[in-house]
Amino acid sequence: MNLVIILSLLVHYAAANTEKLIFKADLPTHIPCLDVTYGNLSILSTPFSELHNTIQVNKNEEYSEQQHYLLKGLQLGSSYELRISYPAVTPTDFTMIPVRVCSTEANTVSYTIKVTGRHTGVSAINREEYAVVLYNIVLDTLYAQFIFSQLYKLVLVILGVSFMGYCYIIPSIRHYISYIIDLSDKKGE
């Protein structure tokens, strides 16, 4: 019972919304990235990168702030997921639009993405529609068009816990059960 209480104290609830853009890195025509300026652009690169940012949103998207990101080092033909997560108390719709694609090195391309937000709905917090929205933007490589690159960590944890259970926990439980059975047999004699 104490273990359940301790675990419940360690777990906390987080309400968030997520917008996704899943795409395959293609280059319609060979356009070299000669005039790309990296000064004002935040760069997201593969296989996994994450940035934290804020954006001023408005009910009308054309009056909202626009931010641009450079997705760098994308392999031609590979699939990627661009994800924006933000708190649920700020009802916002984000749009992610590719505005430029160009080739950088052999078999790699760069995308310039425009991110805008539009305030939607009614927030539980007073005048929240005029506040800036804190968000995370993540670029993740997808393998087989649906398996994200960070999945190996979860697989390693599951394999580790399974190994520990098979090698240590199950034998100790069997030993304890046979010990209890032996005690009850000795008391019955």
Side-chain angles (χ1 to χ4, degrees), residues 5-6 11 15 23 28 30 43 53 60 71 116-117 121 151 163 166:
I5 293 171
I6 291 171
V11 176
F23 63 97
H30 181 70
I43 297 174
N53 209 342
N60 190 342
L71 310 182
T116 57
L151 183 65
F163 179 77
Y166 182 74

Side-chain angles (χ1 to χ4, degrees), residues 57-71:
V57 297
N58 197 310
K59 288 189 184 233
N60 190 342
E61 191 171 333
E62 64 186 60
Y63 298 116
S64 294
E65 182 182 356
Q66 296 180 1
Q67 295 178 351
H68 291 82
Y69 293 91
L70 180 67
L71 310 182

